[in-house]
Short mmCIF file of all heavy atoms in Angstrom, two decimals:
data_model
loop_
_atom_site.label_atom_id
_atom_site.label_comp_id
_atom_site.label_asym_id
_atom_site.label_seq_id
_atom_site.Cartn_x
_atom_site.Cartn_y
_atom_site.Cartn_z
N LEU A 38 60.66 -38.03 10.28
CA LEU A 38 60.57 -39.33 9.63
C LEU A 38 59.14 -39.63 9.20
O LEU A 38 58.89 -40.12 8.09
CB LEU A 38 61.08 -40.41 10.58
CG LEU A 38 61.05 -41.85 10.02
CD1 LEU A 38 61.91 -41.95 8.76
CD2 LEU A 38 61.52 -42.85 11.09
N TRP A 39 58.20 -39.29 10.07
CA TRP A 39 56.78 -39.52 9.77
C TRP A 39 56.36 -38.73 8.53
O TRP A 39 55.73 -39.28 7.60
CB TRP A 39 55.93 -39.13 10.97
CG TRP A 39 54.48 -38.85 10.73
CD1 TRP A 39 53.85 -37.64 10.86
CD2 TRP A 39 53.47 -39.77 10.32
NE1 TRP A 39 52.52 -37.74 10.55
CE2 TRP A 39 52.26 -39.05 10.21
CE3 TRP A 39 53.47 -41.13 10.03
CZ2 TRP A 39 51.06 -39.63 9.83
CZ3 TRP A 39 52.27 -41.73 9.66
CH2 TRP A 39 51.09 -40.99 9.57
N LEU A 40 56.72 -37.49 8.47
CA LEU A 40 56.31 -36.65 7.34
C LEU A 40 57.00 -37.08 6.05
O LEU A 40 56.38 -37.11 4.98
CB LEU A 40 56.62 -35.17 7.64
CG LEU A 40 55.78 -34.55 8.77
CD1 LEU A 40 56.29 -33.16 9.11
CD2 LEU A 40 54.31 -34.51 8.37
N THR A 41 58.25 -37.43 6.16
CA THR A 41 58.99 -37.87 4.96
C THR A 41 58.45 -39.21 4.46
O THR A 41 58.23 -39.40 3.25
CB THR A 41 60.49 -38.00 5.28
OG1 THR A 41 60.98 -36.75 5.74
CG2 THR A 41 61.26 -38.42 4.03
N THR A 42 58.20 -40.13 5.38
CA THR A 42 57.71 -41.46 5.00
C THR A 42 56.33 -41.39 4.35
O THR A 42 56.03 -42.15 3.42
CB THR A 42 57.65 -42.37 6.24
OG1 THR A 42 58.94 -42.46 6.83
CG2 THR A 42 57.17 -43.77 5.86
N THR A 43 55.49 -40.47 4.84
CA THR A 43 54.14 -40.37 4.29
C THR A 43 54.07 -39.47 3.05
O THR A 43 52.99 -39.22 2.52
CB THR A 43 53.17 -39.82 5.35
OG1 THR A 43 53.60 -38.52 5.78
CG2 THR A 43 53.07 -40.77 6.52
N GLY A 44 55.23 -38.99 2.60
CA GLY A 44 55.28 -38.25 1.33
C GLY A 44 54.76 -36.84 1.40
O GLY A 44 54.32 -36.28 0.39
N PHE A 45 54.82 -36.21 2.56
CA PHE A 45 54.35 -34.84 2.68
C PHE A 45 55.31 -33.89 1.96
O PHE A 45 56.50 -33.86 2.27
CB PHE A 45 54.23 -34.44 4.16
CG PHE A 45 53.71 -33.04 4.36
CD1 PHE A 45 52.37 -32.75 4.20
CD2 PHE A 45 54.58 -32.01 4.70
CE1 PHE A 45 51.89 -31.46 4.38
CE2 PHE A 45 54.11 -30.72 4.90
CZ PHE A 45 52.76 -30.44 4.72
N GLU A 46 54.77 -33.12 1.01
CA GLU A 46 55.59 -32.18 0.23
C GLU A 46 55.06 -30.76 0.30
O GLU A 46 55.48 -29.90 -0.46
CB GLU A 46 55.68 -32.64 -1.22
CG GLU A 46 56.39 -33.99 -1.37
CD GLU A 46 56.46 -34.45 -2.83
OE1 GLU A 46 55.73 -33.87 -3.67
OE2 GLU A 46 57.26 -35.36 -3.11
N ALA A 47 54.11 -30.51 1.20
CA ALA A 47 53.54 -29.17 1.41
C ALA A 47 52.75 -28.67 0.21
O ALA A 47 52.67 -27.47 -0.03
CB ALA A 47 54.62 -28.16 1.81
N GLY A 48 52.15 -29.60 -0.54
CA GLY A 48 51.25 -29.19 -1.60
C GLY A 48 50.02 -28.50 -1.03
O GLY A 48 49.62 -28.75 0.12
N LEU A 49 49.39 -27.64 -1.79
CA LEU A 49 48.27 -26.84 -1.30
C LEU A 49 47.15 -27.73 -0.77
O LEU A 49 46.59 -28.56 -1.50
CB LEU A 49 47.74 -25.94 -2.41
CG LEU A 49 46.60 -25.00 -2.03
CD1 LEU A 49 47.00 -24.08 -0.89
CD2 LEU A 49 46.15 -24.19 -3.24
N GLY A 50 46.83 -27.56 0.50
CA GLY A 50 45.75 -28.31 1.12
C GLY A 50 46.13 -29.68 1.63
O GLY A 50 45.30 -30.37 2.25
N ASP A 51 47.36 -30.09 1.41
CA ASP A 51 47.81 -31.40 1.90
C ASP A 51 47.94 -31.33 3.42
O ASP A 51 48.41 -30.33 3.98
CB ASP A 51 49.16 -31.75 1.27
CG ASP A 51 49.49 -33.22 1.41
OD1 ASP A 51 48.62 -33.99 1.87
OD2 ASP A 51 50.63 -33.61 1.08
N LEU A 52 47.50 -32.38 4.13
CA LEU A 52 47.46 -32.36 5.59
C LEU A 52 48.09 -33.61 6.17
O LEU A 52 47.89 -34.71 5.66
CB LEU A 52 46.00 -32.27 6.07
CG LEU A 52 45.78 -32.32 7.59
CD1 LEU A 52 46.24 -31.02 8.23
CD2 LEU A 52 44.32 -32.60 7.91
N ARG A 53 48.83 -33.42 7.25
CA ARG A 53 49.30 -34.53 8.06
C ARG A 53 49.05 -34.17 9.52
O ARG A 53 49.43 -33.08 9.98
CB ARG A 53 50.79 -34.80 7.86
CG ARG A 53 51.18 -35.25 6.49
CD ARG A 53 50.65 -36.63 6.12
NE ARG A 53 51.18 -37.05 4.84
CZ ARG A 53 50.68 -36.72 3.65
NH1 ARG A 53 49.61 -35.94 3.60
NH2 ARG A 53 51.22 -37.16 2.54
N LEU A 54 48.42 -35.09 10.24
CA LEU A 54 48.27 -34.92 11.69
C LEU A 54 49.55 -35.39 12.36
O LEU A 54 50.14 -36.41 11.95
CB LEU A 54 47.08 -35.72 12.19
CG LEU A 54 45.71 -35.34 11.59
CD1 LEU A 54 44.62 -36.24 12.16
CD2 LEU A 54 45.39 -33.88 11.85
N LEU A 55 49.96 -34.68 13.38
CA LEU A 55 51.21 -34.99 14.07
C LEU A 55 50.89 -35.78 15.34
O LEU A 55 50.15 -35.29 16.21
CB LEU A 55 51.95 -33.70 14.42
CG LEU A 55 52.30 -32.81 13.21
CD1 LEU A 55 52.96 -31.52 13.68
CD2 LEU A 55 53.21 -33.56 12.23
N PRO A 56 51.43 -36.98 15.47
CA PRO A 56 51.10 -37.82 16.64
C PRO A 56 51.76 -37.31 17.91
O PRO A 56 52.90 -36.84 17.91
CB PRO A 56 51.66 -39.20 16.24
CG PRO A 56 52.72 -38.90 15.25
CD PRO A 56 52.30 -37.68 14.51
N ALA A 57 51.02 -37.43 19.00
CA ALA A 57 51.55 -37.10 20.33
C ALA A 57 52.06 -38.38 21.00
O ALA A 57 51.71 -39.50 20.60
CB ALA A 57 50.47 -36.45 21.18
N ALA A 58 52.86 -38.25 22.04
CA ALA A 58 53.43 -39.40 22.73
C ALA A 58 52.36 -40.29 23.34
O ALA A 58 52.54 -41.51 23.47
CB ALA A 58 54.39 -38.92 23.81
N ASP A 59 51.20 -39.68 23.71
CA ASP A 59 50.14 -40.46 24.35
C ASP A 59 49.18 -41.08 23.34
O ASP A 59 48.14 -41.63 23.70
CB ASP A 59 49.37 -39.60 25.34
CG ASP A 59 48.67 -38.42 24.66
OD1 ASP A 59 48.77 -38.29 23.42
OD2 ASP A 59 48.01 -37.62 25.37
N GLY A 60 49.53 -40.97 22.07
CA GLY A 60 48.68 -41.53 21.02
C GLY A 60 47.65 -40.57 20.49
O GLY A 60 46.92 -40.91 19.55
N GLY A 61 47.58 -39.38 21.05
CA GLY A 61 46.65 -38.37 20.56
C GLY A 61 47.25 -37.59 19.40
O GLY A 61 48.20 -38.01 18.74
N VAL A 62 46.67 -36.40 19.16
CA VAL A 62 47.13 -35.53 18.08
C VAL A 62 47.78 -34.30 18.69
O VAL A 62 47.14 -33.54 19.43
CB VAL A 62 45.96 -35.11 17.16
CG1 VAL A 62 46.43 -34.11 16.11
CG2 VAL A 62 45.35 -36.34 16.50
N ALA A 63 49.06 -34.11 18.39
CA ALA A 63 49.80 -32.98 18.95
C ALA A 63 49.61 -31.72 18.14
O ALA A 63 49.77 -30.61 18.65
CB ALA A 63 51.28 -33.33 19.02
N GLY A 64 49.29 -31.87 16.89
CA GLY A 64 49.14 -30.72 16.00
C GLY A 64 48.98 -31.22 14.58
O GLY A 64 48.60 -32.37 14.34
N ALA A 65 49.26 -30.36 13.63
CA ALA A 65 49.11 -30.72 12.23
C ALA A 65 50.02 -29.85 11.39
O ALA A 65 50.45 -28.76 11.81
CB ALA A 65 47.67 -30.54 11.79
N VAL A 66 50.36 -30.36 10.23
CA VAL A 66 51.03 -29.53 9.22
C VAL A 66 50.14 -29.52 7.99
O VAL A 66 49.53 -30.53 7.63
CB VAL A 66 52.44 -30.05 8.86
CG1 VAL A 66 53.40 -29.85 10.02
CG2 VAL A 66 52.40 -31.50 8.42
N ALA A 67 50.04 -28.35 7.38
CA ALA A 67 49.21 -28.18 6.20
C ALA A 67 50.04 -27.52 5.11
O ALA A 67 50.75 -26.54 5.35
CB ALA A 67 47.99 -27.32 6.52
N GLY A 68 49.96 -28.07 3.94
CA GLY A 68 50.68 -27.50 2.81
C GLY A 68 50.01 -26.24 2.29
O GLY A 68 48.78 -26.18 2.17
N TYR A 69 50.83 -25.23 2.00
CA TYR A 69 50.31 -23.99 1.43
C TYR A 69 50.59 -23.89 -0.06
O TYR A 69 50.14 -22.98 -0.73
CB TYR A 69 50.89 -22.79 2.17
CG TYR A 69 50.05 -21.54 2.06
CD1 TYR A 69 48.68 -21.57 2.29
CD2 TYR A 69 50.62 -20.32 1.72
CE1 TYR A 69 47.91 -20.44 2.19
CE2 TYR A 69 49.85 -19.18 1.63
CZ TYR A 69 48.50 -19.24 1.85
OH TYR A 69 47.72 -18.11 1.75
N GLY A 70 51.36 -24.84 -0.57
CA GLY A 70 51.59 -24.92 -2.00
C GLY A 70 52.43 -23.77 -2.55
O GLY A 70 52.91 -22.90 -1.83
N THR A 71 52.58 -23.77 -3.85
CA THR A 71 53.32 -22.72 -4.53
C THR A 71 52.40 -21.54 -4.81
O THR A 71 51.17 -21.65 -4.73
CB THR A 71 53.88 -23.23 -5.85
OG1 THR A 71 52.77 -23.60 -6.70
CG2 THR A 71 54.78 -24.46 -5.65
#
Side-chain angles (χ1 to χ4, degrees):
L38 180 59
W39 160 246
L40 292 173
T41 302
T42 303
T43 59
F45 182 76
E46 296 179 345
L49 182 58
D51 196 8
L52 177 72
R53 295 293 186 276
L54 299 179
L55 301 176
D59 62 1
V62 175
V66 291
Y69 203 49
T71 63

